[in-house]
Amino acid sequence: MAEIKTQCYAHFLRPLIRVLKAHNLDSSSMLAAADLNCSVLQDPYQIITHQQLAICFSHAAALEVPKELAFDVGQAIGLADKSALGHAQLASKTLRHIMALGQKYMPMFMPLLQWDMLVKAKSLSLKYKAQIPESLKKSLSKEGAERLERFLIDMMLSMHLHQAARLDENLQADLLQLPAAKDNELAIHDRIFKGEIVYGGRQFIIRFPMSAFDVTLPNYDQRMVDNLEQQCIKLKSALQKEPCIAEQVTLAFKARPGHFPSLEQLAEKLGLSTRTLRRRLNEKNSNYQSLLQEAKQDIASDYLRSSELPISEIAELCGFSETRNFVSMFKRWKNCTPSEYRLQGKSIL
């Protein structure tokens, strides 16, 4: 369970999935590879591991087309995809303060990339570096690891350029330094960046004139920033706490719909004896069967709301071999049939 210490929120999976859908690309195999499901679309505060996030972006980076996918994802990242951080940045005084907030709290959503601010007399540069989990890096080829690194950095470059331009059209970077690019990448960089582009070495750097970084922005509201930063602190603190035993069991149930581990398998995965696991669940006024039923109910609700899967397939994902048994159980959960529940969701939309 070492991964419990390296957690993040699922917010940045949403713009990735939105862009994949816009390009008619399926995200189900990507989520399955990371032991995730479509619930990340309904609950961006779902806590996932750095490894799961990296697997999803590695899957996207391996796609052959479109070549500009990383840039599209960067431009698709909105305020809601950064939760309270995004709104705090919108109310910040200057672009320098925005970047400082990003350095401090962005790892809650995108821990796979970090950047350093290099301040000089007349310029301020951002130097990017990918943070790919070692366990995943070992499973990738050298080319695959480099492709993932480039995808992450291109995405963040695009996000920073797009959001800076939206804050103030005068906030224009004047230099972009990148490693040598393939021919089909040159046109993409030229399209999204209007300043000078320098290729060579291993550096990923974007440079802004210092004057642009210290311009007071039109939406500046310090009281709003202070209030929103308190929310960021609470979110960050929640990630640093080890989930309670009931939460860990629920995460295990939802990791692979249709494949629900037994009590004994759960205990082994959590490094506990079966007796200890049962006792610790009892201490939380819970038990294996009640958590299993809650997980199945959540999985069924998620798929009925967000997918067009036949009810027979959703029944299988919830562990029912007979659709009629699933329908009967669902009526006990929700006081309506799966078909009625799906129609209610569509009418709300």
Side-chain angles (χ1 to χ4, degrees), residues 102-160:
Q103 278 189 303
K104 193 172 183 180
Y105 299 112
M106 187 68 83
M108 295 192 298
F109 314 112
M110 178 41 68
L112 307 178
L113 195 74
Q114 70 174 28
W115 65 85
D116 296 321
M117 289 197 293
L118 310 174
V119 181
K120 295 185 178 180
K122 296 184 179 181
S123 67
L124 192 152
S125 302
L126 305 178
K127 181 179 179 181
Y128 299 89
K129 182 180 180 181
Q131 301 287 324
I132 303 172
E134 284 299 321
S135 54
L136 177 62
K137 190 181 294 186
K138 290 177 181 177
S139 69
L140 296 173
S141 65
K142 181 180 179 181
E143 181 183 2
E146 291 177 350
R147 188 166 51 226
L148 173 57
E149 177 186 45
R150 192 58 170 268
F151 187 97
L152 293 169
I153 291 174
D154 282 344
M155 178 187 71
M156 198 59 63
L157 280 170
S158 177
M159 186 197 78
H160 281 153

Side-chain angles (χ1 to χ4, degrees), residues 283-311:
E283 289 172 354
K284 297 295 182 180
N285 297 315
S286 188
N287 58 67
Y288 174 90
Q289 281 300 330
S290 65
L291 291 174
L292 177 60
Q293 291 305 310
E294 289 172 9
K296 288 183 176 182
Q297 183 179 162
D298 288 345
I299 291 169
S301 300
D302 287 341
Y303 277 105
L304 287 168
R305 283 197 304 259
S306 61
S307 80
E308 297 297 328
L309 285 178
I311 290 174

Side-chain angles (χ1 to χ4, degrees), residues 154-208:
D154 282 344
M155 178 187 71
M156 198 59 63
L157 280 170
S158 177
M159 186 197 78
H160 281 153
L161 288 170
H162 182 66
Q163 294 185 354
R166 291 189 63 183
L167 288 167
D168 189 329
E169 61 183 11
N170 295 317
L171 294 177
Q172 296 291 333
D174 60 10
L175 176 69
L176 179 62
Q177 181 178 340
L178 299 166
K182 298 177 181 178
D183 290 341
N184 58 11
E185 293 178 326
L186 297 176
I188 299 173
H189 290 137
D190 287 338
R191 177 170 62 82
I192 72 161
F193 189 73
K194 305 306 179 184
E196 179 185 3
I197 303 178
V198 177
Y199 294 101
R202 286 287 301 165
Q203 300 293 307
F204 295 88
I205 297 176
I206 187 169
R207 188 184 72 191
F208 290 82

Side-chain angles (χ1 to χ4, degrees), residues 19-34:
V19 171
L20 290 175
K21 185 176 181 180
H23 287 289
N24 295 315
L25 297 169
D26 182 33
S27 62
S28 58
S29 59
M30 174 189 80
L31 294 174

